[in-house]
Amino acid sequence: MAVHYRCCESGFFIHIAVIFFLVMFAGLMSGLTLGLMSMSIVDLEVLAKSGTPKDRKHAAKILPVVRKQHLLLCTLLICNAASMEALPIFLDGLISAWGAILISVTLILLFGEIIPQSVCSRHGLAIGATVAPFVRVLVWICYPVAYPISKLLDYLLGEGHVALFRRAELKTLVDMHGNEAGKGGELTHDETTIIAGALELTTKTARDAMTPIAETFAIDINAKLDRDLMKLILEKGHSRVPVFYEQPVNIIGLILVKNLLTIHPADEVPVKNVTIRKIPKVPENLPLYDILNEFQKGHSHMAVVMWHRDNMVEQPTSKSPNNNPEVRVDIDGEKHPLEKKMSKRQLQKWKSFPASGNNSYTPRSKKWTRDINADVLQIDDNPLPKLNEEEEAVGIITMEDVIEELLQEEIFDETDHHDDDS
């Protein structure tokens, strides 16, 4: 009788231990399913390279396990399902069938789902790194069943999915991390503005950042550097001044103001007798990143933006659908595509010169070739270049213009006149 009682007592405690193990095991699998599968490979790679020392260590342990996502998912779900199915069997040996179902559902719901998932959703990285070796063992145990199912999922859904942010999404993410957003981010306003400007720079072209010819200070090559012209050059405060021939839209080169230091105004030296450097010519739809890369080479920090006539369509400028003569319209009566993307400052620049047509000129090369790189313009032996009937200069772009688009703010120097709100 005593032996039978001890056997029943030992069997009861074994059932209780097994039930406890199954509930904890099911909870672990459920929590890991949420904790590990919710972290993308990109997130883990970012943490492994630039996270805190603890996060780097945890991410390095988890990455090898998570790389085969479908295999890991099948393993966790198979183990979770096996433990939940086995739980009523052991409970049935202690209580009635209805009681076993009721208790098993309660235990699984509370201790196998709600609590583990709540914990792993907040501390999934640390928990996943701790149990990563154990998960590896489970993957090998369930491999005969999990591998075929994972390969079927790879075939149907794709082997891997890298969740990278698009440019607009990344810009929004940066804005959310700014301290002005009030979400605890540590990025300052200047940092978020510069990052946003760098992301937008790839969609902007020379036309977006240039200074129109109507606002550009340029001098005639046949002019004389007398006292009035020298005074005017100094008042403008530019380090480089474009030089035109016959017409302001025929920019043929530029002069460096520092080269005029040795010239006396009383001598009235002709402009063509000083050192005139060649100025690069770029199409109006050349991306600003390409222009910035060329500026960095040091050949020139100024370029002339060209408009090509062959690919232009004559547009009505006197009348527009909204009776606004300042708004450029295309042949369909809509705003110009560039105008829709421009900021207020860019729009003011763009509207300051006459409308010439639709920007459809496609450059043959996005890089400046050697023959148009900045160099001294030889005018003694060669005739001056005349205006090409198929193209004309519509603006001037400088390194400062590109940097302003990057910073999304105006850059003022000592000679600029602006309103000081402070």
Side-chain angles (χ1 to χ4, degrees):
M1 188 69 179
V3 174
H4 178 69
Y5 176 76
R6 290 194 185 97
C7 290
C8 292
E9 185 178 4
S10 62
F12 174 80
F13 285 109
I14 291 176
H15 276 69
I16 294 296
V18 173
I19 292 171
F20 177 80
F21 171 77
L22 292 175
V23 172
M24 294 295 102
F25 184 75
L28 179 62
M29 295 299 102
S30 177
L32 290 177
T33 302
L34 177 65
L36 294 180
M37 301 307 299
S38 63
M39 292 184 292
S40 67
I41 296 179
V42 175
D43 295 334
L44 292 174
E45 289 179 345
V46 170
L47 289 175
K49 293 179 180 179
S50 58
T52 63
K54 184 181 294 184
D55 289 343
R56 292 180 184 179
K57 183 179 180 180
H58 292 164
K61 291 183 179 179
I62 295 177
L63 265 174
V65 180
V66 180
R67 287 196 183 277
K68 296 183 178 180
Q69 294 181 332
H70 288 153
L71 181 60
L72 176 62
L73 178 63
C74 292
T75 300
L76 296 177
L77 293 180
I78 289 173
C79 294
N80 189 24
S83 60
M84 288 191 295
E85 293 296 330
L87 183 60
I89 298 176
F90 286 92
L91 283 174
D92 191 47
L94 300 179
I95 55 179
S96 61
W98 285 104
I101 294 175
L102 183 61
I103 294 177
S104 63
V105 171
T106 303
L107 291 176
I108 289 297
L109 182 61
L110 183 60
F111 297 101
E113 297 289 344
I114 297 178
I115 296 178
Q117 291 191 11
S118 299
V119 175
C120 288
S121 64
R122 183 176 295 271
H123 305 288
L125 187 66
I127 296 175
T130 303
V131 300
F134 177 64
V135 174
R136 286 174 176 268
V137 175
L138 293 179
V139 169
W140 284 107
I141 294 175
C142 301
Y143 193 83
V145 179
Y147 180 75
I149 300 176
S150 66
K151 295 303 291 183
L152 179 62
L153 293 176
D154 290 341
Y155 176 76
L156 296 176
L157 303 178
E159 185 172 354
H161 175 67
V162 180
L164 293 177
F165 289 102
R166 291 190 291 270
R167 185 172 284 104
E169 296 171 339
L170 190 58
K171 180 183 175 183
T172 303
L173 184 65
V174 170
D175 292 337
M176 293 176 61
H177 282 73
N179 52 25
E180 293 183 347
K183 299 181 181 294
E186 59 181 13
L187 296 180
T188 64
H189 172 74
D190 290 336
E191 289 174 328
T192 56
T193 301
I194 293 175
I195 294 174
L199 294 175
E200 293 179 354
L201 203 63
T202 187
T203 61
K204 295 180 180 179
T205 61
R207 183 106 186 201
D208 298 327
M210 71 181 185
T211 301
I213 286 293
E215 298 179 4
T216 301
F217 172 68
I219 58 177
D220 191 350
I221 192 171
N222 294 317
K224 294 182 179 180
L225 292 170
D226 54 14
R227 187 173 301 276
D228 294 335
L229 182 57
M230 294 282 283
K231 180 180 178 181
L232 182 60
I233 292 175
L234 294 178
E235 288 178 351
K236 292 297 180 179
H238 302 309
S239 60
R240 296 167 177 81
V241 178
V243 177
F244 66 88
Y245 175 59
E246 292 184 345
Q247 302 180 43
V249 293
N250 184 25
I251 304 295
I252 61 173
L254 62 90
I255 60 174
L256 300 178
V257 176
K258 64 182 181 181
N259 291 341
L260 305 181
L261 293 175
T262 58
I263 297 179
H264 197 280
D267 297 336
E268 296 187 354
V269 177
V271 174
K272 60 183 178 181
N273 289 352
V274 302
T275 302
I276 301 178
R277 305 184 68 85
K278 293 181 180 179
I279 185 170
K281 296 181 180 181
V282 299
E284 59 186 355
N285 59 348
L286 184 65
L288 290 185
Y289 270 124
D290 291 334
I291 297 178
L292 180 61
N293 290 334
E294 295 299 332
F295 280 156
Q296 289 177 314
K297 295 180 180 179
H299 297 298
S300 176
H301 285 181
M302 176 182 289
V304 55
V305 181
M306 303 301 296
W307 164 73
H308 201 275
R309 292 181 182 273
D310 287 347
N311 296 329
M312 300 302 162
V313 178
E314 191 68 25
Q315 303 173 11
T317 57
S318 59
K319 295 182 180 180
S320 60
N322 53 2
N323 296 323
N324 184 0
E326 290 184 347
V327 178
R328 287 172 169 76
V329 295
D330 59 18
I331 56 177
D332 294 328
E334 296 180 354
K335 286 185 179 182
H336 193 282
L338 286 176
E339 184 180 353
K340 298 178 182 179
K341 300 186 296 182
M342 287 182 181
S343 63
K344 184 177 180 181
R345 177 173 62 83
Q346 297 167 352
L347 193 58
Q348 290 175 349
K349 279 187 176 182
W350 192 60
K351 288 180 178 179
S352 61
F353 59 92
S356 301
N358 186 15
N359 299 311
S360 57
Y361 171 61
T362 302
R364 288 174 293 178
S365 175
K366 290 185 177 181
K367 299 295 183 183
W368 302 339
T369 53
R370 284 186 180 275
D371 57 345
I372 60 172
N373 280 336
D375 197 0
V376 176
L377 183 66
Q378 303 294 336
I379 60 176
D380 295 333
D381 301 329
N382 301 318
L384 293 175
K386 294 186 177 181
L387 182 65
N388 191 338
E389 295 182 356
E390 297 182 352
E391 63 181 10
E392 67 179 27
V394 294
I396 294 293
I397 188 169
T398 64
M399 172 76 81
E400 181 178 338
D401 295 325
V402 180
I403 298 301
E404 285 180 349
E405 294 298 327
L406 177 63
L407 300 179
Q408 300 192 65
E409 293 180 353
E410 293 280 1
I411 299 177
F412 297 103
D413 59 23
E414 297 83 355
T415 60
D416 290 330
H417 299 282
H418 61 282
D419 294 332
D420 191 357
D421 297 333
S422 60

